[in-house]
Amino acid sequence: MTRIAILDLTTHPESLLTGSERVWQSISGWLSPAFPDADMLPFDIAEGAMPLPQAGDFDGLIVSGSEFGVYDNTDWMAPLRRLLLDTRAAGKPLFGICFGHQIMADTFGGRAEKAPVGRVVGARTFQRDPIQSGPIQSGPTQSGPKNFTAHVWHQDQVTGVPPGARVIAHAEYCPVAALDYDFAARSVQYHPEYDAAHLQDLFTRGRDIFLDGETADRATAEIMAADVPRDLDATATAAFFRQALSAKT
């Protein structure tokens, strides 16, 4: 089995989120149907339950979202950057989501920071850029519809593209919505792993705690009105890992 390590970098306060799916579970549930030959290995990092893995512990790495920014001084931030560099040096594939997208760019020579547009929560339309080499979402190919809708929840963005990386998706409010690197790495700013029901549950639980009521209501309405496929990017991401691992052997 292919070993895919999932770094869960989001805290999960039991007093608020008891019974709610963990981030690593959302990622595994999203990707596993398209990647049944992979063994998803969770690493609970933000809660301090587990240490970061070493590059020899996995065949591929997924870096989750987080409520932290690349500028925060957590005890795992610097070791995570070293792990990203070690994973690249080992030639193992990397995939980043939201914070994962940002920390990869910031580590590999680009920049991520708080964006002037501020926090964006809900659903947004993105456009696949014509320079991309393949589909950014499962289903449509480069010759198909260029626009797609995805769930979003972030206040930071990639503001400097790393050397050797190229933008493969963007939105008016988010110029760097997805990146392909000139080594085995890809990342996205949006959240393909979250389904609408899970996000609505989080908005309800977090209302007036980590989201003000107006933002929670607006985000809920956007998500209910959006048509985001549950397998957004899943087939393409599984193919990315398979191709990178095949090229390595």
Side-chain angles (χ1 to χ4, degrees):
M1 294 281 285
T2 300
R3 301 168 301 164
I4 302 297
I6 302 174
L7 305 185
D8 191 333
L9 302 173
T10 302
T11 59
H12 192 86
E14 286 298 327
S15 60
L16 179 64
L17 298 176
T18 298
S20 178
E21 192 172 65
R22 294 295 306 271
V23 168
W24 73 263
Q25 292 173 313
S26 296
I27 294 173
S28 179
W30 157 71
L31 186 57
S32 290
F35 205 179
D37 46 321
D39 187 12
M40 303 293 173
L41 308 174
F43 289 84
D44 188 359
I45 306 303
E47 289 285 358
M50 301 174 69
L52 282 162
Q54 302 297 309
D57 296 335
F58 53 79
D59 302 306
L61 182 64
I62 296 176
V63 186
S64 82
S66 179
E67 68 268 40
F68 298 103
V70 302
Y71 41 76
D72 285 319
N73 186 28
T74 68
D75 58 3
W76 47 262
M77 195 73 66
L80 172 60
R81 290 180 185 274
R82 290 195 294 270
L83 176 60
L84 294 177
L85 294 171
D86 289 346
T87 302
R88 179 178 66 176
K92 296 185 176 182
L94 278 159
F95 185 79
I97 299 172
C98 197
F99 169 81
H101 171 68
Q102 297 157 15
I103 191 68
M104 285 170 60
D106 206 68
T107 298
F108 295 135
R111 182 173 175 81
E113 58 191 328
K114 289 185 183 296
V117 69
R119 178 178 290 175
V120 181
V121 187
R124 293 293 183 274
T125 298
F126 296 87
Q127 184 176 62
R128 296 195 303 275
D129 287 305
I131 61 170
Q132 72 176 66
S133 59
I136 190 59
Q137 66 183 102
S138 59
T141 63
Q142 192 169 349
S143 60
K146 294 179 65 176
N147 293 340
F148 65 97
T149 303
H151 296 137
V152 295
W153 192 345
H154 63 102
Q155 63 176 340
D156 296 355
Q157 294 190 31
V158 173
T159 56
V161 176
R166 57 179 180 162
V167 177
I168 56 173
H170 72 276
E172 183 177 352
Y173 88 95
C174 182
V176 187
L179 287 170
D180 256 344
Y181 288 79
D182 57 359
F183 54 96
R186 172 175 283 191
S187 63
V188 298
Q189 179 57 68
Y190 47 90
H191 284 279
E193 81 281 19
Y194 283 154
D195 63 24
H198 179 60
L199 283 174
Q200 289 173 41
D201 179 58
L202 291 179
F203 297 159
T204 299
R205 292 171 183 255
R207 183 183 178 88
D208 296 323
I209 300 173
F210 50 75
L211 278 180
D212 64 84
E214 181 181 353
T215 299
D217 291 344
R218 183 173 59 249
T220 298
E222 290 177 0
I223 286 172
M224 291 178 65
D227 183 18
V228 179
R230 181 66 185 99
D231 64 346
L232 176 70
D233 283 11
T235 298
T237 302
F240 156 74
F241 276 113
R242 289 193 183 101
Q243 182 178 6
L245 292 168
S246 175
K248 189 175 183 298
T249 58

